[in-house]
Amino acid sequence: MTAPLSTTTPTPTSSGDGTHPSAPRGPLGSLGPVGLVLAGGISVQFGGALAVTLMPRAGALGVVTLRLLAAAVVLLLVCRPRLRGHSRADWGTVVVFGVTMGAMNGLFYEAVARIPLGPAVTLEVLGPLALSVVASRRAINALWAGLALAGVFLLGGGGFGNLDPTGVGFALGAGTMWAAYIVFSARTGRRFPQADGLALAMAVAALLFLPLGIADAGSRLLNPTTVALGSAVALLSSVLPYTLELLALRRLPAPTFAILMSLEPAIAATAGFLVLGQSLTPTEAAAIALVIAATIGAVRTQTSRTKPGLRAPEA
């Protein structure tokens, strides 16, 4: 039986050295769960900017295949996950997590092949926002989700009527998979130590996507430059952000994490300005302000739920 979706902060318990038992040690641990999520968002958006330059070389499905394969190889070599000693439920969770990651990536890249990146990210974010409302037990979180939703719609230009319907469908499908990713990332993190479950799930996603990538890109996947760029995209868009988010979900409730994910369009706009020279309009700046306000509200709400007398995980 898989663990239920958590909507409350785990009660901190003391380990031998006084730290939270699930907290990552070293430099990552000093970031706190919110810092881990934000660092992951920055990494994935700059990785997305690099992926845009790769799509003409390998196509949408080819890029996804390279990204998943390279990420799987890196994670398996680094984590060297143990294959024995896991229950059937553990393996079932890993497989579903892998299918979810593959579908989320594939649907999103098919979306950006048909509609602009900004509206695609905005539509995708609706999945985590919906999760934050459905999973939350406090009405105030619906307010923060609504505020963030207004921001992402402003960032998308206030409407999507002129977009390709197929691209919109792919983006909404990616958002649904993103919400499922949040749920199964948390469950995988509770069932497997460190990033072992993530490494195994990434391998599942890569194996499932390999035939699609070969059919779409063929021998172009073997071009050395394409492989190098794909490996960089994998590091920035998969290895770093997925690992950081998995670690964060061990100490951060899924509803709060889902609202933090609404920062993605704002981070994307910043990456576009720094990497691609895209300036922000007043409407886009207002949208970013709304999303940031919603994020601050969500974090403050989460902090206020910590029981008196107990030290909350660092944020």
Side-chain angles (χ1 to χ4, degrees):
M1 180 177 180
T2 56
L5 175 62
S6 173
T7 56
T8 58
T9 303
T11 301
T13 57
S14 178
S15 61
D17 58 1
T19 60
H20 192 283
S22 63
R25 300 177 184 273
L28 290 182
S30 66
L31 288 176
V34 174
L36 291 172
V37 175
L38 295 179
I42 292 170
S43 179
V44 76
Q45 292 306 329
F46 278 87
L50 179 60
V52 171
T53 68
L54 181 58
M55 289 185 71
R57 290 177 171 268
L61 298 182
V63 171
V64 177
T65 300
L66 287 171
R67 171 177 167 174
L68 293 176
L69 277 174
V73 169
V74 170
L75 286 172
L76 289 173
L77 289 176
V78 171
C79 298
R80 287 183 286 185
R82 182 167 52 88
L83 300 180
R84 296 182 179 180
H86 302 298
S87 68
R88 181 177 299 180
D90 293 341
W91 284 112
T93 300
V94 159
V95 170
V96 175
F97 187 28
V99 171
T100 298
M101 281 197 294
M104 178 178 68
N105 283 281
L107 290 168
F108 180 72
Y109 277 94
E110 288 291 349
V112 297
R114 293 168 172 81
I115 62 177
L117 180 61
V121 174
T122 301
L123 288 167
E124 188 189 25
V125 164
L126 297 182
L129 284 173
L131 175 65
S132 72
V133 175
V134 172
S136 175
R137 296 178 182 176
R138 298 191 71 184
I140 188 64
N141 280 334
L143 172 63
W144 302 131
L147 190 62
L149 182 61
V152 295
F153 267 110
L154 274 178
L155 200 61
F160 303 96
N162 297 324
L163 298 178
D164 181 287
T166 303
V168 169
F170 278 127
L172 291 174
T176 301
M177 290 298 101
W178 195 354
Y181 158 77
I182 293 172
V183 174
F184 284 97
S185 178
R187 293 180 179 180
T188 300
R190 289 191 290 267
R191 287 184 174 274
F192 291 84
Q194 303 303 320
D196 286 9
L198 174 63
L200 294 171
M202 191 71 73
V204 170
L207 289 175
L208 290 175
F209 231 91
L210 183 58
L212 298 176
I214 293 175
D216 185 44
S219 61
R220 290 181 293 170
L221 292 177
L222 302 178
N223 181 278
T225 302
T226 301
V227 171
L229 289 173
S231 299
V233 170
L235 178 64
L236 291 172
S237 297
S238 294
V239 177
L240 286 177
Y242 289 169
T243 302
L244 293 174
E245 290 166 8
L246 186 145
L247 293 174
L249 277 164
R250 289 176 175 169
R251 295 184 287 160
L252 196 67
T256 303
F257 178 87
I259 295 180
L260 283 170
M261 288 293 94
S262 64
L263 271 174
E264 294 289 344
I267 298 173
T270 303
F273 174 75
L274 294 176
V275 178
L276 306 175
Q278 300 172 343
S279 59
L280 294 174
T281 67
T283 300
E284 290 169 335
I288 291 174
L290 284 175
V291 173
I292 291 175
T295 303
I296 293 173
V299 173
R300 288 179 62 87
T301 299
Q302 172 57 32
T303 302
S304 69
R305 297 187 67 183
T306 304
K307 295 181 181 180
L310 291 176
R311 182 173 179 174
E314 295 181 2

